[in-house]
Amino acid sequence: MSNKNKTYNRKKVVVLFFFCAVTFFLLFVRLIDLMIFQSGYYTDKSTQLHERERSIKAARGRILDRNGIVLADNKTVCTISVIHSQIEDKEAVISFLSRKLELSEDFVRKRVEKYSSMERIRSNVPKELGDEIREADLPGVKVDEDYKRYYPYDALASKVLGFTGGDNQGIIGLEVIYDEVLSGEEGTILTLTDAAGIELEAASEHRKEPVPGNDLVISMDYNIQSYATQLAKQVMATKEADRVSLIVMNPQNGEIMAMVDVPEFNLNEPYTLTPEYEALRAKEEARKQAAKEAKAARNAGEESAEETEPEKPKSEEELRQEKLNGMWRNGCINDTYEPGSTFKVITAAAALETGCVTLSDTFSCPGFIVVDDRRIRCHKVGGHGAEDFTKGICNSCNPVFVTLGLRVGADRYYDCLKQFGLLERTGVDLPGEAGTIMHQKDAIGNVELATMSFGQSFQITPLQLATTVSSLVNGGRRITPHLAVKAVDEKGTQVESFEKQSGRQIVSEETSETMQMLLEKVVSEGGGSKAQIEGYSIGGKTATSQTLPRGSGRYIASFVGFSPADDPEVLALVVIHSPQGTYYGGQIAAPVIRQLFENVLPYLEK
Amino acid sequence: MATRFRTVQGGARQSNNETYFDYSLLFTVLFLIGFGLMMIYSSSSYKANLDYDDSAYFLKKQLQAAVLGIAGMIIVSRIPYHFWEKLAVPAYIVSAALIPLVLTPLGYSSHGARRWIRILGISLQPAEVAKLGMVIFLACLVCKMGRRIRSTKGLIALMIPPGVIAVMVWKITQNMSSAIIILGIAMLMIFVASPDYKRFIVMAILGISGAALIVFAIVKVAESPELTEKLGFRGLRILAWLNPEAYADDKGFQTLQALYAIGSGGIFGKGLGESIQKLGFLPEAQNDMIFSIICEELGLFGAVAVILLFLLLIWRCMIIANNAPDLFGALLVVGVMGHLAIQVILNIAVCTSVIPNTGISLPFISYGGSSVMFLLVEIGIVLNVGRSIRLKDL
């Protein structure tokens, strides 16, 4: 063929080729930019996209009593999940899991058939069952191990220890306050995943090991706590009381050896309402209803101006939560009460410290005392007659203490309460401590002062009373009640100490010694005689106060005791709410402390 | 360097008629097909396993198409290319006629676009047919026009047939990228056929400034949010191209994922089969975005090797075109060369986010039966043009 293409055609093809070549070169430059200079940026971005962070729970630290007995522990439990895309035999998985986990087939089927990267079937499965399921080796079934909080003694010290929630965080009690110490640091596993979030088996893992939490050693003594719980339960049963609180502490340094508030609850099932609490709740409801009816009957004749607003009906959920909160309440610190005669210890100490009374002062009790226009009765209707100060405290004579209160005067009395630390919280290492409910300083008239002198018209927590009495008889140093002693790591090495510094001097040592002597007399010769134990010197004070509001016909019997009287090593307070039958503190509360001391004192000597 | 084999036909006596066969072109194409199959398997096995329970699903389908295509290539390479001259008009008519068929029951949709038809159990994209038909028709038309091509009128007349096809592809099958490719091939062929430069330079400048103006207008519109909604997906794609990270959840997603793949490949890549982006992160990993996976697995070196292979292919086309016995043969080769070059450039440019995202496959490598079959047939034509070169003319 002769008509060869014209030169310009050939030239243009070459131009076209070079045009393509130049464009290719520009794309090559772009690739160099992307794959060398921007490579780091895009690699990071894609790694962020591909890596999934999976956390590894850290083992939560245990809680140990003073002798190393484990009060809160961890148990390995398993979580069973299914990975949709890896399941081979769906029916086999459904029937196997529903059989092993005792779940309905429908429940399992719904989860197995759900298209998701991972679906949880059941958590908190015992380790043995989890192992069994793992050994069956069904494709698509995943068994993950996890820790679960476990309390070996169920209800023991439930309100003190507290429990943890699903994320291993403390909900109440020590578990909350020392959450940081106990929780440790979560570890993480970084794995490469595909777009559906499924881990790539071949990919290497970046692993950051979890740091287990530290163990918390507390001053509680398992044996004392158990025995105290037993005593509290016993007196609650025999006296058909609503609640019984019992605190045992070391008055020298504030370490709490036992803190009981029955009815307690099972820490391993904190969301199950106990029958005891349900019964108590029903009792309270009935009382409330009766009070309302009585009030309605009173108002029936008159034109009642104020319509009692009907309470908003609570939802099932709210009601349940309210009940749970009630069950979890620690009456020793979360609730206040009128201390009654045990508070005379404070009045006596205030009078001694301010020099308003000496042991040789004499008083006369006609069975009442008139303050301003009020006639305040003594509990002994006929009166105690002539008595000296020691006798007065042994008799727990109201006119004597009213006289003392008036001698000290409102200002100084209030200042004493402040100095004793009664107006502040004790600072115990438990959550939700209630504050003292007290008159304003300038609102204290003679009548108020008189009632305060024998422990009425204000409220404190049982722990506040135990702490203040401890501080008055331990040589006069204000202590901070506490449970935590130290945090130790896995190897048992101490990593943190929670020892409390002894606080300020609140009364002189002489006053403190006088108080020891006086309270010893109360037990040996006075109203606290039922707390006597042969061979031990015991000091103490009884109290019988009314449940507020007054006129309910219900009482609170209490007793605070300590031993040895001249150098107290242990102090205990029992508060019995609404006992039936005999309700005098000296009759029913003092024997509880005696029984407690009978066992605890020899035990502590060892 | 390409090798030129002497194919001995009938011994030395006929040495005057000894012809040429471009083995380097053939082997480059076969290598690209093989490499493509490997990369399709690598990039699609995860998805194939998930969707079809068969990790080789895409590989098998592509292998079938490739075998068919190679058979077609061998047959076509033995058909003297002047045969196509007779078919030019029917080819154009068939190309045009097939396009509306996608709207009939013969057509079917995939990936939300109705671009395929199925005839006798074979599915194909009319746009692919149109590319080949256009090349043949236009080559024939240029030869028929002779010197008239030099006038502006002639040029405009030449542009009408490809323009009609392009508009049909764009409007009927909603496939703007194929329309652009068809127009681009036509422009390159006309460029080669015409002795003129000025008009083409003016057209190129007008085209580029027009595109720049559109981008500028869209960016301006996007400044007010209520108007952005009216932009439609093409406008959004342009915005996503300018700032993929701002549209990471939507239009910019694929672009961004492609950039992650390319960027994380680095110089040497993660190794064959080690891509993570293909595990469901990068949509169409085995298709339009396969170049990103090549970059991720084989690194800059692998990517450059692929680009050089395509350059080699285009270079061989240039050699054949320039030695073709006549203008018709040369224009056929230029058409195929333009087709290859445009698709390679646009595909890589999309993957590297140099231009806005649009669906263009990488010749011989991307998954797609119609595409690979028609490309192989086109290579068959080029090979036949090469065969017609007499060695004494070289």
Side-chain angles (χ1 to χ4, degrees), chain A residues 254-268:
Chain A
E255 285 182 354
I256 295 169
M257 292 186 262
M259 185 182 270
V260 181
D261 186 45
V262 287
E264 304 248 358
F265 61 94
N266 185 350
L267 284 173
N268 291 316

Side-chain angles (χ1 to χ4, degrees), chain A residues 156-175:
Chain A
L156 187 82
S158 58
K159 296 175 181 182
V160 176
L161 297 177
F163 57 91
T164 61
D167 293 328
N168 221 6
Q169 84 287 15
I171 303 270
I172 63 165
L174 290 170
E175 297 272 25

Side-chain angles (χ1 to χ4, degrees), chain A residues 328-466:
Chain A
W328 298 336
R329 268 187 102 78
N330 185 349
C332 300
I333 56 163
N334 300 143
D335 294 321
T336 54
Y337 77 122
E338 247 189 10
S341 301
T342 43
F343 202 74
K344 287 172 183 162
V345 176
I346 282 93
T347 306
L352 285 167
E353 188 68 7
T354 49
C356 297
V357 72
T358 60
L359 293 178
S360 51
D361 283 10
T362 54
F363 302 85
S364 166
C365 167
F368 63 87
I369 183 166
V370 177
V371 178
D372 290 353
D373 54 345
R374 270 324 158 81
R375 206 174 132 106
I376 296 171
R377 287 193 298 116
C378 186
H379 58 87
K380 189 170 180 186
V381 182
H384 293 101
E387 53 192 343
D388 63 5
F389 179 48
T390 313
K391 208 84 197 118
I393 194 166
C394 286
N395 290 336
S396 193
C397 179
N398 285 353
V400 170
F401 284 89
V402 171
T403 310
L404 290 187
L406 294 174
R407 278 192 202 167
V408 174
D411 276 3
R412 275 197 294 176
Y413 191 74
Y414 189 88
D415 290 343
C416 279
L417 296 185
K418 194 168 181 185
Q419 192 189 325
F420 293 174
L422 266 163
L423 302 181
E424 298 155 25
R425 290 182 172 81
T426 63
V428 68
D429 47 356
L430 284 170
E433 187 186 2
T436 300
I437 303 170
M438 179 62 74
H439 302 283
Q440 292 293 313
K441 187 175 181 178
D442 34 334
I444 303 176
N446 280 339
V447 177
E448 285 78 18
L449 184 57
T451 52
M452 281 162 66
S453 303
F454 54 92
Q456 284 187 12
S457 78
F458 66 93
Q459 295 182 53
I460 57 175
T461 64
L463 184 66
Q464 177 64 272
L465 183 76

Side-chain angles (χ1 to χ4, degrees), chain A residues 1 5 8-10 12-14 16-17 20 23-24 28 30 35 39 41-43 45 49-50 193-195, chain B residues 46 188 191-196 245 257 263 266 277 279-281 299-300 304 318 322 326-327 330 345 352 390:
Chain A
M1 292 194 211
N5 288 328
Y8 73 80
N9 290 128
R10 308 177 76 169
K12 281 209 158 175
V13 174
V14 175
L16 187 58
F17 173 75
C20 291
T23 315
F24 277 21
F28 170 64
R30 169 69 173 162
M35 298 174 81
S39 178
Y41 171 77
Y42 284 116
T43 306
K45 280 269 183 179
L49 181 71
H50 303 152
T193 65
D194 67 9
Chain B
Y46 168 84
L188 292 182
F191 170 73
V192 169
S194 157
D196 188 35
E245 299 189 8
Q257 296 296 333
Q277 284 295 91
L279 304 177
F281 293 104
L300 186 58
V304 169
M318 174 187 80
N322 278 353
D326 54 14
L327 184 62
I345 289 167
T352 53
R390 284 172 304 175

Side-chain angles (χ1 to χ4, degrees), chain A residues 224-225 227-233 235 244-248 256 258-262 264 332 462 559 572-575 592-593 596:
Chain A
I224 299 177
Q225 176 77 22
Y227 189 61
T229 309
Q230 200 181 316
L231 286 175
K233 274 186 182 165
V235 71
V244 177
S245 303
L246 181 44
I247 300 169
V248 182
I256 295 169
M259 185 182 270
V260 181
D261 186 45
V262 287
E264 304 248 358
C332 300
F559 182 84
L573 166 69
V574 62
V575 182
V592 175
I593 298 301
L596 180 79

Side-chain angles (χ1 to χ4, degrees), chain A residues 80 93-109 111-112 120-123 125 129 133:
Chain A
I80 315 291
V93 168
I94 292 170
S95 73
F96 178 77
L97 288 184
S98 61
R99 199 175 64 239
K100 284 283 173 197
L101 299 174
E102 288 163 3
L103 295 167
S104 78
E105 287 218 6
D106 284 346
F107 179 89
V108 179
R109 184 177 301 275
R111 276 150 187 81
V112 167
R120 181 178 295 184
I121 305 278
R122 186 165 195 173
S123 45
V125 174
L129 187 55
I133 291 170

